[in-house]
Amino acid sequence: MTEPLVQIHKLTKHFRLGIRDTVHAVDDVSFDIRPKEIVGLVGESGSGKSTLGKTIIGLHAKTAGSVTFAGRRLPFRFSTSHFRKFANRMQMIFQDPYSSLNPRMTVGEIIAEGPKLLGTKGRVKIKHETREWLERVGLNADHVSRYPHEFSGGQRQRIGIARALILEPDFVICDEPISALDVSVQAQVINLLGELKDSLGLTLLFIAHDLSMVRYVSDRIAVMYLGSLIELGPADEVFFNPKHPYTQVLIGSNPEPDPKFERSRTFTKIQGEIPSPVNIKPGCRFASRCPKVMDVCRKKAPELRNIAANGKERLVACYLYEDE
Amino acid sequence: MTANSLLQVSNLHVEFTTYGGIVHAVRGADFHVERGETLAIVGESGCGKSVAVQSVLGLIPIPPGRITQGEAILDGHQILGHQTIEGKDIRGNRVGMIFQDPMTSLNPTMTIGNQIAEPLKLHRKMSGAQAKKRAIELLEMTKIPEAAKRASQYPFEFSGGMLQRAMIAMAIACEPDLLIADEPTTALDVTIQAQILELIKDLQQEVGMGLILITHDLGVVAGVADRVVVMYAGEILESGTADEIFFAPSHPYTLGLLSAMPTNRRDVVQTLMPIPGSPPDLFSPPEGCGYAARCPQAMEACVANRPTQFTVSDSHFSKCWLHHEACEHRVLEVQQV
């Protein structure tokens, strides 16, 4: 197997709330991202998927654990010089195309800001590349002097993509890049990301809550619940044969645009809602809502382990599969 | 369409005067809902789906809004421009409403129980104690645990899913004939969405009310709708039963929407087909078909002439020139994909 591009090892991110309370946003998460693959990261809001993405890329300092990128261990806390050093290796595309672009800068300034700050390219070259990237993401090169408000949501997301990719990174974290867009425009942005991924050889961590879309784009799917990684495996395996009771519920609640399927659906509803991530109790985090909960689940959290035979990968953190 | 539909809206036109000019938000909408039936109004943001329903109930600000044409008959009574039927309020009484964002739709300075009791006191002339008792019953109906305790809490103490349940309790408090749910689950996670949709379906069957569900999510539509209306650029382009819309779409826009979203059939390797471009500017809506500029099957006739309504079956209508007898072979092309 090829050397992973990103290795996430026991990564933990806690936020302190006053003296007594701690938010366990990401707890002890370990997985690898291989070169040129797309890993989809799903989970409900509050499950820590965005925090995980931001901690990997250095936007949050780590509480514990490490991230290794292309064989080099990333610093515990990023300084300005670290960001500069890694800017052309790792980039991020943000969820909200309305608030993630500076309204006082022209589109040309927004896209050119990265290469300008890096200072490895001349002004003329940057100007040329900015125009080139606008065309590449399906906008008009003559729009460089326009402001973000003159563009629609889908067009703004394309600007966000151009801003991230003009630095020619190897690894891009897409944090809900299509959630704010209409269906017909979502497909435009997804197909654009797919084309650029192929032509540039990108590796992507695709964070989203739309399960069908995640299955469509991803090679592997990782499922998070309340800060911990509970399942990871090939996209179709996880989608069609979910192992963890939470993944089963999540996929069982995913609406399908197919009335016949919906009528025949047997509901695997769960009661209640995702609990607060403040001062989490020991044991499995899903225990309070799990339809298959056992005594052991409440005592000690299950570890993520491989349950597939013959060298395949199918990671699940659940006591139901401990003996297999 | 039957003579005694619960709600019958015909030829509705709504405009808004803005600094940029007049926005033609709804340009001739016809739809109807029967008792006990679920009608889904689907469309992308800005297509006029919310405005069409809100203007019928007088929920749009006038001015800048203006209903220029059309009529809306609720249970045999004209309601456009009216607040009451035979002296009784329409909103909150005959028609209940659930909004998209429960966090901002509830009053943060009133307890949940008092907010639910408010329509009961207003429309049913209940006393404070009666209304409070009923409010707790309603919270129990919407499956909120510890209803009595929850009734005396404020909205900030509720999660998004619980607030949406409280909104539903308020909307059905006066046993309305018609419930309007405007993107009721858009702000919620899928597991909570499934719970809320199930709750709405159960209550609808229990109370026997008509339901208009406004949404952009075709997955949600497939799960709950009996009939579907597809809106685009202020017009209704296609309407039919859920099965007709999903399995035999007869408008290129509906087909485009369905091909732009992933389905999960294990045996099918799918490539998403995006709809190129973006919706037209409703300051100066196109003369012909609103979808012509993005339609892969657009003809010369589509640009200049607005399509009339063609009948596909008794319950299935499409506004597309492809159904004109002069181009019958192209209709088949649509339906086969």
Side-chain angles (χ1 to χ4, degrees):
Chain A
M1 204 181 286
T2 48
E3 186 72 10
L5 182 69
V6 186
Q7 284 171 288
I8 295 140
H9 182 67
K10 292 191 178 293
L11 190 63
T12 301
K13 176 67 198 172
H14 291 173
F15 295 98
R16 296 300 298 269
L17 291 180
I19 305 164
R20 244 172 281 131
D21 296 335
T22 305
V23 177
H24 295 243
V26 175
D27 239 349
D28 214 14
V29 168
S30 306
F31 67 103
D32 292 345
I33 302 171
R34 299 169 198 141
K36 297 187 186 168
E37 80 166 339
I38 303 183
V39 176
L41 183 59
V42 296
E44 288 176 273
S45 41
S47 61
K49 49 193 196 306
S50 284
T51 307
L52 176 61
K54 286 181 180 167
T55 312
I56 292 173
I57 209 165
L59 291 175
H60 289 311
K62 302 167 189 67
T63 302
S66 67
V67 178
T68 310
F69 178 80
R72 289 166 66 186
R73 198 167 158 151
L74 296 183
F76 201 70
R77 181 190 296 274
F78 272 56
S79 66
T80 315
S81 63
H82 289 128
F83 280 119
R84 189 161 294 183
K85 194 159 130 195
F86 289 106
N88 54 1
R89 304 300 306 273
M90 304 189 295
Q91 277 297 324
M92 189 150 177
I93 297 166
F94 296 93
Q95 169 170 10
D96 184 354
Y98 294 89
S99 60
S100 58
L101 301 177
N102 187 338
R104 290 169 170 238
M105 286 165 82
T106 65
V107 167
E109 286 165 353
I110 289 170
I111 297 174
E113 196 182 17
K116 227 174 239 172
L117 287 175
L118 273 185
T120 48
K121 286 173 186 159
R123 262 175 61 190
V124 182
K125 190 159 184 349
I126 292 175
K127 206 170 169 184
H128 177 75
E129 279 187 7
T130 305
R131 294 176 68 88
E132 206 178 271
W133 266 101
L134 271 174
E135 302 252 323
R136 227 168 149 174
V137 296
L139 298 172
N140 191 328
D142 294 330
H143 290 170
V144 278
S145 53
R146 292 200 183 178
Y147 287 89
H149 74 88
E150 297 175 69
F151 294 90
S152 68
Q155 288 172 323
R156 285 182 213 208
Q157 204 53 286
R158 290 161 189 269
I159 296 167
I161 293 173
R163 171 177 66 180
L165 297 189
I166 194 171
L167 292 163
E168 294 167 20
D170 307 299
F171 175 53
V172 180
I173 295 181
C174 307
D175 188 4
E176 307 248 15
I178 52 165
S179 310
L181 307 176
D182 274 318
V183 177
S184 68
V185 182
Q186 284 187 354
Q188 291 176 10
V189 172
I190 286 295
N191 283 4
L192 171 69
L193 270 176
E195 283 159 28
L196 293 171
K197 188 232 162 213
D198 290 342
S199 63
L200 301 171
L202 298 174
T203 305
L204 300 181
L205 179 66
F206 187 89
I207 304 172
H209 61 255
D210 181 341
L211 287 159
S212 308
M213 206 49 114
V214 168
R215 175 188 160 249
Y216 176 77
V217 295
S218 311
D219 300 307
R220 290 190 298 154
I221 294 181
V223 186
M224 276 185 87
Y225 184 79
L226 211 58
S228 55
L229 184 65
I230 54 153
E231 184 157 357
L232 176 69
D236 276 12
E237 273 289 304
V238 172
F239 196 91
F240 292 113
N241 187 15
K243 294 289 185 194
H244 195 285
Y246 175 67
T247 317
Q248 289 168 357
V249 168
L250 196 63
I251 286 162
S253 319
N254 183 41
E256 292 283 338
D258 181 339
K260 275 187 195 142
F261 178 87
E262 284 290 338
R263 277 192 290 263
S264 66
R265 186 197 284 277
T266 47
F267 255 101
T268 42
K269 264 188 310 169
I270 40 168
Q271 297 303 316
E273 300 177 9
I274 192 164
S276 152
V278 179
N279 301 337
I280 286 172
K281 290 186 204 116
C284 173
R285 293 179 177 200
F286 190 53
S288 61
R289 298 167 82 193
C290 184
K292 295 172 184 164
V293 65
M294 301 175 288
D295 282 344
V296 59
C297 304
R298 295 209 172 84
K299 289 178 189 129
K300 189 171 169 286
E303 277 177 29
L304 194 68
R305 42 199 293 156
N306 199 351
I307 57 160
N310 53 38
K312 286 196 186 136
E313 186 196 40
R314 196 76 168 75
L315 304 172
V316 183
C318 182
Y319 286 118
L320 288 173
Y321 305 98
E322 283 289 80
D323 303 329
E324 290 175 32
Chain B
M1 191 183 324
T2 51
N4 56 353
S5 294
L6 176 58
L7 176 69
Q8 169 76 53
V9 175
S10 331
N11 195 28
L12 183 72
H13 288 255
V14 186
E15 296 176 356
F16 288 91
T17 310
T18 68
Y19 287 114
I22 294 172
V23 183
H24 302 264
V26 180
R27 308 185 294 139
D30 302 84
F31 59 89
H32 62 101
V33 202
E34 309 300 325
R35 286 170 185 78
E37 179 192 53
T38 302
L39 173 76
I41 302 183
V42 209
E44 298 180 86
S45 34
C47 73
K49 54 191 192 300
S50 292
V51 171
V53 174
Q54 288 178 2
S55 60
V56 167
L57 293 178
L59 285 174
I60 59 164
I62 297 177
R66 192 164 62 245
I67 299 170
T68 51
Q69 264 187 65
E71 58 173 13
I73 314 280
L74 178 74
D75 203 13
H77 303 271
Q78 173 65 255
I79 58 165
L80 268 196
H82 295 264
Q83 304 270 345
T84 54
I85 294 175
E86 290 164 355
K88 288 194 170 160
D89 285 321
I90 300 168
R91 294 193 302 248
N93 186 25
R94 302 292 298 266
V95 181
M97 230 179 138
I98 308 168
F99 296 94
Q100 170 170 356
D101 187 354
M103 315 279 176
T104 55
S105 315
L106 290 165
N107 185 342
T109 67
M110 275 173 87
T111 62
I112 296 284
N114 281 341
Q115 295 193 56
I116 298 172
E118 206 177 18
L120 292 166
K121 288 189 225 168
L122 196 68
H123 302 301
R124 292 287 141 97
K125 310 283 180 265
M126 282 189 185
S127 70
Q130 273 177 319
K132 187 144 196 212
K133 190 166 156 265
R134 179 74 186 137
I136 293 169
E137 283 170 23
L138 284 161
L139 284 174
E140 278 164 359
M141 268 173 85
T142 52
K143 305 200 176 70
I144 292 186
E146 298 176 87
K149 183 183 142 206
R150 291 299 226 161
S152 55
Q153 290 184 335
Y154 288 89
F156 77 91
E157 296 172 272
F158 277 52
S159 68
M162 283 298 158
L163 280 179
Q164 201 56 289
R165 285 171 195 270
M167 284 267 285
I168 294 170
M170 201 188 306
I172 61 165
C174 294
E175 288 154 21
D177 303 319
L178 177 65
L179 179 65
I180 292 170
D182 191 351
E183 306 263 11
T185 57
T186 306
L188 307 175
D189 282 312
V190 280
T191 55
I192 310 298
Q193 168 168 287
Q195 293 173 7
I196 296 288
L197 291 175
E198 194 70 4
L199 174 67
I200 294 178
K201 267 197 279 186
D202 287 351
L203 289 172
Q204 188 199 9
Q205 267 158 22
E206 223 167 281
V207 185
M209 57 196 169
L211 172 66
I212 298 182
L213 178 76
I214 303 170
T215 181
H216 67 273
D217 189 335
L218 286 167
V220 170
V221 173
V224 290
D226 299 312
R227 278 189 313 111
V228 183
V229 158
V230 182
M231 271 190 91
Y232 183 79
E235 288 182 276
I236 289 173
L237 296 185
E238 185 172 1
S239 65
T241 63
D243 283 14
E244 285 166 338
I245 296 291
F246 282 91
F247 301 124
S250 61
H251 195 287
Y253 175 62
T254 315
L255 193 69
L257 272 187
L258 289 169
S259 331
M261 56 191 304
T263 54
N264 294 302
R265 263 174 276 152
R266 204 202 274 249
D267 44 327
V268 183
V269 179
Q270 193 193 2
T271 313
L272 293 189
M273 303 286 293
I275 303 176
S278 44
D281 183 1
L282 292 180
F283 284 116
S284 50
E287 214 174 290
C289 172
Y291 186 56
R294 301 173 83 186
C295 181
Q297 303 186 61
M299 303 170 286
E300 274 168 42
C302 305
V303 180
N305 307 293
R306 246 176 112 171
T308 49
Q309 181 158 296
F310 293 91
T311 304
V312 184
S313 80
D314 292 348
S315 54
H316 194 180
F317 304 95
S318 170
K319 274 191 188 168
C320 178
W321 286 124
L322 289 176
H323 294 277
H324 194 272
E325 47 194 17
C327 53
E328 210 166 329
H329 60 289
R330 305 189 64 165
V331 178
L332 291 172
E333 217 175 289
V334 180
Q335 287 173 335
Q336 271 167 7
V337 183

